[in-house]
Amino acid sequence: MRAVVMENYGGPEVLKVRDIPEPGVEPEHRRIEVTRSGVNFADLLVREDDYLTGVPLPFVPGPTPSPTISRQRPTAGRRPHWR
């Protein structure tokens, strides 16, 4: 899987495209394919080490994906019983 990864704090030059391991699919979770992802202002602050809390490195910015579901477990998507 390819991702933009930030391994150091700094300017745009610290953002590198890297191959990273694909995450597993846990019970009751889905794996999504992301072809586009938005980067928000908080990501810029994290990159400059100016965010409210320290973010551990390496960091993959882009918490706003445009996903499609590529794999899901049989129990994924079942709603819990609310009382």
Side-chain angles (χ1 to χ4, degrees):
M1 165 172 125
R2 293 176 60 130
V4 173
V5 178
M6 184 182 84
E7 296 172 342
N8 299 299
Y9 297 109
E13 68 278 357
V14 302
L15 300 172
K16 306 289 183 191
V17 176
R18 301 272 190 244
D19 289 320
I20 62 173
E22 281 193 15
V25 179
E26 300 294 326
E28 300 190 19
H29 288 117
R30 295 180 174 103
R31 178 181 295 159
I32 59 173
E33 289 185 19
V34 177
T35 56
R36 293 172 181 83
S37 182
V39 176
N40 60 39
F41 187 67
D43 291 321
L44 300 178
L45 294 176
V46 168
R47 190 195 74 210
E48 296 171 351
D49 197 19
D50 197 21
Y51 199 61
L52 298 174
T53 60
V55 175
L57 298 177
F59 174 71
V60 177
T64 315
S66 176
T68 56
I69 296 173
S70 64
R71 182 173 177 215
Q72 80 178 38
R73 298 276 184 140
T75 57
R78 292 186 185 164
R79 293 184 147 176
H81 296 285
W82 297 99
R83 293 182 182 224

